[in-house]
Amino acid sequence: MAQSNYSVSKAFAIALTISCLIVAASAGSFYDEMDITFGGQRAKILNGGQDLTLALDQYSGAGFQSKNEYLFGRFDMQLKLVPGNSAGTVTTFYLSSQGAGHDEIDFEFLGNSTGNPYTVHTNVYSQGKGDKEQQFHLWFDPTAAFHTYTIVWNPQRIIFLIDNIPVRVFNNHETAGVPFPKSQPMRVYASLWNADDWATQGGRVKTDWTKAPFTASYRKFNANANKVGSNSKSTTSENDNQARSTQGLDAAGRNRIRWVQNKHMIYNYCDDKTRFPNGLPVECTRSRFL
């Protein structure tokens, strides 16, 4: 990754990381929590279930999904992204329901040519409709070490966090006619796949298959969430459930998200008047942290 992408903000980012509240939680085994969904031996569970790697070659990528379905919660995953020339590759960590009118909450990491920054692509779908993209460049090299990516999903809002620093909030504006994902249980998904028709610089930079296989690493998945199913129960106490169901941003969180969005956001659908010539989506007038 280019040094210019994060050198200026490095000291401030370190200070934010140290000062933010770190949520301690024991991580479950990938053997217990996840099922491999595609890719065969390209998906490997290692170290007694503590680590999972996905590989991509010219024949296939790989992916996995949670054994459980959830309705609201906090979902943490540590990722180390494809190093070097990752152009054309997409690494993901997201929540999704099934069916034509599905809900989805996305973290997608769009690779780039060597020395250029990853793009973190976020989106929210409700009742099958998305088009709510925000994109960011990171203030660190996501290929050099593991970093924690978090989705908080409750009836009031969705919060995207990186190393516990909020980067985006999508609030529930159903009263203004904006669909919000709150009734369909979702599973956790992750994948590594090729999307060189669009992922890197609009598809201008293609995947260099001489560098394959490309590998991304996952560890320390944790869900403090409400499991859905006949034999399921919440993974946390009633008090934790209540706190999680209304979690928002405090003053420190608002300061951090302003810093991220002012310094590191590279695309916001709420600013794209060319894309929405008849007027921006209604939620764009309601909260600057969407």
Side-chain angles (χ1 to χ4, degrees):
M1 176 176 288
Q3 182 70 19
S4 60
N5 184 52
Y6 57 90
S7 59
V8 174
S9 303
K10 185 176 180 181
F12 186 39
I14 292 172
L16 286 178
T17 304
I18 292 171
S19 64
C20 68
L21 175 64
I22 303 299
V23 177
S26 59
S29 164
F30 281 111
Y31 286 120
D32 297 333
E33 299 284 353
M34 300 294 175
D35 290 319
I36 305 301
T37 52
F38 72 99
Q41 293 302 308
R42 296 173 185 84
K44 297 183 184 298
I45 300 176
L46 308 168
N47 298 327
Q50 297 307 300
D51 300 292
L52 194 157
T53 61
L54 298 179
L56 166 69
D57 57 32
Q58 59 259 54
Y59 303 105
S60 178
F64 61 91
Q65 70 178 37
S66 63
K67 296 179 185 292
N68 295 303
E69 288 185 300
Y70 305 93
L71 188 62
F72 307 129
R74 176 182 173 122
F75 306 88
D76 300 281
M77 185 81 79
Q78 291 193 357
L79 281 77
K80 184 163 63 172
L81 301 181
V82 174
N85 185 357
S86 58
T89 71
V90 178
T91 307
T92 70
F93 164 53
Y94 64 103
L95 307 178
S96 183
S97 64
Q98 297 297 305
H102 80 293
D103 296 340
E104 187 171 319
I105 305 169
D106 291 337
F107 264 124
E108 295 185 332
F109 305 91
L110 314 184
N112 214 332
S113 51
T114 302
N116 291 299
Y118 264 84
T119 294
V120 179
H121 177 96
T122 66
N123 203 354
V124 176
Y125 288 77
S126 185
Q127 300 173 24
K129 182 173 175 54
D131 299 329
K132 302 183 186 300
E133 302 92 343
Q134 283 188 357
Q135 295 182 337
F136 306 85
H137 283 164
L138 293 166
W139 51 95
F140 55 84
D141 180 354
T143 73
F146 283 93
H147 292 267
T148 302
Y149 302 88
T150 301
I151 296 169
V152 172
W153 170 39
N154 62 47
Q156 283 74 42
R157 62 191 59 83
I158 295 161
I159 309 173
F160 297 81
L161 304 101
I162 300 175
D163 290 337
N164 218 50
I165 296 173
V167 300
R168 179 180 185 180
V169 175
F170 185 83
N171 288 307
N172 184 339
H173 290 296
E174 287 181 304
T175 56
V178 181
F180 185 86
K182 70 173 191 179
S183 59
Q184 299 188 74
M186 294 197 262
R187 294 184 190 273
V188 176
Y189 292 86
S191 58
L192 173 60
W193 51 289
N194 178 54
D196 67 1
D197 57 332
W198 64 270
T200 303
Q201 301 176 35
R204 292 187 295 275
V205 182
K206 302 300 183 181
T207 304
D208 181 357
W209 293 113
T210 67
K211 302 294 192 293
F214 304 96
T215 302
S217 301
Y218 295 76
R219 71 179 188 186
K220 295 187 177 180
F221 168 68
N222 189 71
N224 286 326
N226 298 314
K227 294 181 182 178
V228 175
S230 57
N231 297 315
S232 298
K233 61 181 180 180
S234 173
T235 59
T236 53
S237 69
E238 183 175 348
N239 287 340
D240 287 339
N241 285 339
Q242 179 60 33
R244 191 179 61 243
S245 69
T246 58
Q247 180 176 342
L249 297 182
D250 59 12
R254 290 191 294 272
N255 286 335
R256 293 182 185 113
I257 200 170
R258 288 187 186 99
W259 171 74
V260 171
Q261 297 200 350
N262 288 336
K263 300 293 186 181
H264 298 284
M265 180 185 285
I266 60 170
Y267 177 80
N268 182 4
Y269 78 108
C270 281
D271 294 332
D272 195 341
K273 295 181 180 179
T274 301
R275 182 178 171 189
F276 301 103
N278 297 321
L280 294 172
V282 63
E283 69 270 15
C284 294
T285 66
R286 301 298 179 107
S287 171
R288 64 166 299 186
F289 296 131
L290 282 167

